[in-house]
Amino acid sequence: MNVELITREDLKQFKNEMLTEIKHLLKPGQGQSKQWLKSYEVRKLLNISPGTLQNLRVNGTLRYTKIGGMLYYKLEDIEKLLEEGSR
C-alpha cells in the first residue's frame, strides 16, 4: 500500500489553483456575458451540491432573487464570494 501525505501547503496551493481557474471562467468578455445565473449554473460553476447551494442561501452567504419558481444569482456576488474565500 502506497501512502502519500498531503500537507497544509499542498492544500493551500490546490485552493489557489482552483480559485484562479474559477476566476478565469468568470472573467467578463470571455464568452460569459450573463449577469444573472440560474441555480444549476452556479452549482456547476462552483462544483457544489444543491444542498450546499441551499446552505449558502439560508445563511446569507450568497444573495439570490426569486422570480416565480426560479432562483437567480448575480455573477458579481459569486465573484465577491470567491474573492473573500481566497483571503
Side-chain angles (χ1 to χ4, degrees), residues 43-82:
R43 290 194 324 262
K44 185 177 178 182
L45 182 66
L46 299 177
N47 194 26
I48 59 175
S49 69
T52 301
L53 184 56
Q54 181 179 3
N55 285 337
L56 292 174
R57 286 193 309 266
V58 169
N59 67 24
T61 303
L62 187 57
R63 296 184 308 172
Y64 65 96
T65 300
K66 185 172 185 177
I67 301 174
M70 298 293 294
L71 299 173
Y72 295 92
Y73 305 84
K74 270 187 143 179
L75 182 58
E76 176 182 317
D77 291 340
I78 296 168
E79 291 171 344
K80 284 180 186 176
L81 178 67
L82 290 172

Side-chain angles (χ1 to χ4, degrees), residues 25-55:
L25 291 172
L26 291 176
K27 278 188 181 175
Q30 292 188 349
Q32 185 80 345
S33 60
K34 291 178 127 182
Q35 183 178 0
W36 293 89
L37 300 174
K38 294 180 182 178
S39 293
Y40 78 92
E41 294 171 311
V42 175
R43 290 194 324 262
K44 185 177 178 182
L45 182 66
L46 299 177
N47 194 26
I48 59 175
S49 69
T52 301
L53 184 56
Q54 181 179 3
N55 285 337

